[in-house]
Amino acid sequence: MSLLSDYDYELPRDLIAAHPLAERSASRMMVLHRAEQRVEHRAFTDFPTFLRPGDLAVLNDTKVIPARAFSDDGRIEFLFLEQHGAHRWVCMAKPGRKLPVGASTQVGGVAGVVEEVLPDGERVIQFAAAVDLDRVGELPIPPYLGRAVEAGDRERYQTVYAREPGAVAAPTAGLHFTPGILAQVPHAFITLHVGAGTFKSVHTERIEDHAMHSERFEIGEEAAGAIRAAERIIAIGTTTARVLESCGGARREMEAQRGSTDIFIYPPYEFRAADVLLTNFHLPKSTLLMLVSAFAGREFVLEAYAEAIRERYRFFSYGDCMLILP
C-alpha cells in the first residue's frame, strides 16, 4: 500500500520558477542514471548528446487554449475544459455554488445555461453561440506561479511545436525545446490534451483510492510506425508517457489510435513503452511525482529532489528539468 505522505517534500517558495528564463534551452538538467543510482548536473543543451542511434523522442504536440475566462459581470471564473458539440462546454466554475442546474450566465456577450453539474463539480454549459476564447480568454497559467498572466506567457507557456488546440495546461517538459534542438533529435508527435485532472490534488491517504480524470489522446499512423521501429523511446514529459503506457502491450505493437485515458501510474508500475523520461520537477504529493517515482524508484527520486533543492534548481512548469536514463 502506498501512502500520500510517501510523496511529500519541503520546497522553499523561492525555488518555484514564477517566470521562464530568457532563453528556452537555458535550463539546467539533472540526469538520473537508474542502474548506477547516480546523479549528474548538466544543461538542457546537452540533451541530444544522451541519445543513441535508433532512439526516438516522442513529444506531445497539444496546444494550450486561452481557457480561463470570466462571466461578463465578473462574478464567476471559468476554466473551459472540453467542448462537446458546437457550443456546449464542460467547465470548472468558481464559485460553483452560484451556478446550479438551470442557472444562466454570460461570457463574452454569449448567454449560457447550466445543463448539468457533474459529480466532481464541473458544469456542463450550453451556450447560445460560440464563445470567442481568443478574444475574452487568457492562458490558464498554474496558480502556484503566484502572479497574473502576462503577455509573454502566450508564447512561453506553449511548446514551439504546439499545433493541436485543446489543452488547459502545457506539457511542460517540452517547453525547453527550441527548433534548433528539436532538429537534432529524431522525433515523432502524439497528442494528449492535458486537462485539469492531470494536476488535480490527491486527497486520499491511500493513493490507490485516487481517481484520475479522463483525457483525450491520439496517435497517428506515422508516429505509430516510428514508435514500432525505434530501439528506445524517450518520452518527453509525463503526458507522453501516459499516452504510450495507455495503449497496452509493448511499443512493437503500437497502432494508430485515438481515445481517452485515465491511467494512473504509481509504484510499482512497470513501464512497457517508455525507456527514457525527460520531465520537469513536480509538486509534492502529485500524481506526476508518483509517475516519476514509478519510473525511477521513489527513494532515488526523492533523494534527487533533495539534491535539486540543495543545488537550487528551479521547480515546476517554468523550471529546470530531469532526464531519467536506464
Side-chain angles (χ1 to χ4, degrees):
M1 180 178 69
S2 298
L3 300 178
L4 184 60
S5 54
D6 294 336
Y7 298 91
D8 196 12
Y9 68 92
E10 293 291 331
L11 180 70
R13 175 76 194 179
D14 65 339
L15 294 186
I16 298 175
H19 292 86
L21 295 173
E23 299 293 332
R24 282 183 181 269
S25 61
S27 294
R28 300 165 72 188
M29 183 174 71
M30 175 179 276
V31 182
L32 273 61
H33 300 268
R34 286 181 293 181
E36 305 168 40
Q37 295 285 285
R38 178 172 63 89
V39 169
E40 64 174 316
H41 304 286
R42 303 288 288 270
F44 177 72
T45 50
D46 296 329
F47 172 74
T49 69
F50 286 93
L51 272 62
R52 308 189 307 212
D55 282 355
L56 179 74
V58 182
L59 307 102
N60 182 5
D61 66 358
T62 190
K63 187 174 184 178
V64 185
I65 62 174
R68 183 173 179 256
F70 289 84
S71 59
D72 290 353
D73 61 9
R75 298 173 62 213
I76 308 292
E77 177 184 351
F78 291 100
L79 189 63
F80 284 70
L81 298 177
E82 189 172 347
Q83 190 169 4
H84 291 180
H87 311 312
R88 197 167 183 254
W89 281 88
V90 176
C91 299
M92 292 177 64
K94 187 169 65 175
R97 67 180 182 277
K98 294 184 178 180
L99 288 179
V101 172
S104 298
T105 188
Q106 187 165 292
V107 180
V110 179
V113 176
V114 179
E115 291 189 335
E116 186 179 357
V117 177
L118 301 178
D120 56 5
E122 294 167 356
R123 268 60 180 169
V124 179
I125 303 176
Q126 178 66 57
F127 288 95
V131 177
D132 187 354
L133 290 176
D134 286 328
R135 179 176 64 86
V136 302
E138 60 184 35
L139 287 187
I141 62 171
Y144 55 70
L145 296 185
R147 62 172 175 84
V149 67
E150 299 171 3
D153 293 313
R154 188 166 285 263
E155 175 193 0
R156 295 302 301 275
Y157 194 62
Q158 203 81 266
T159 64
V160 297
Y161 49 81
R163 56 184 180 179
E164 298 292 340
V168 299
T172 55
L175 296 180
H176 307 282
F177 284 85
T178 63
I181 291 179
L182 189 61
Q184 300 176 49
V185 177
H187 61 274
F189 295 111
I190 57 89
T191 304
L192 180 131
H193 292 308
V194 188
T198 295
F199 307 101
K200 179 184 176 184
S201 298
V202 179
H203 296 293
T204 59
E205 180 57 20
R206 283 169 36 98
I207 66 172
E208 294 89 341
D209 296 333
H210 175 72
M212 290 285 286
H213 280 48
S214 182
E215 294 168 313
R216 296 172 292 130
F217 74 87
E218 182 172 0
I219 300 175
E221 292 282 0
E222 183 178 349
I227 291 168
R228 289 194 300 270
E231 293 297 320
R232 288 196 313 178
I233 295 296
I234 293 84
I236 306 302
T238 57
T239 63
T240 296
R242 292 181 67 238
V243 172
L244 296 173
E245 297 301 318
S246 293
C247 294
R251 66 172 177 273
R252 302 294 184 194
E253 304 163 6
M254 186 65 66
E255 299 290 341
Q257 57 194 284
R258 66 175 61 185
S260 59
T261 178
D262 61 358
I263 189 170
F264 180 18
I265 297 175
Y266 55 87
Y269 180 89
E270 294 187 9
F271 284 76
R272 296 167 293 182
D275 302 294
V276 176
L277 178 64
L278 178 75
T279 186
N280 278 20
F281 292 90
H282 301 295
L283 274 72
K285 299 183 178 181
S286 66
T287 60
L288 306 180
L289 179 58
M290 295 168 194
L291 184 152
V292 174
S293 296
F295 196 82
R298 185 185 68 86
E299 292 185 2
F300 187 32
V301 167
L302 290 179
E303 289 169 3
Y305 270 53
E307 183 163 343
I309 291 169
R310 289 194 297 272
E311 296 292 327
R312 299 197 61 78
Y313 275 69
R314 303 168 73 249
F315 274 63
F316 306 158
S317 293
Y318 277 143
D320 296 316
C321 61
M322 171 185 283
L323 179 66
I324 306 175
L325 300 170

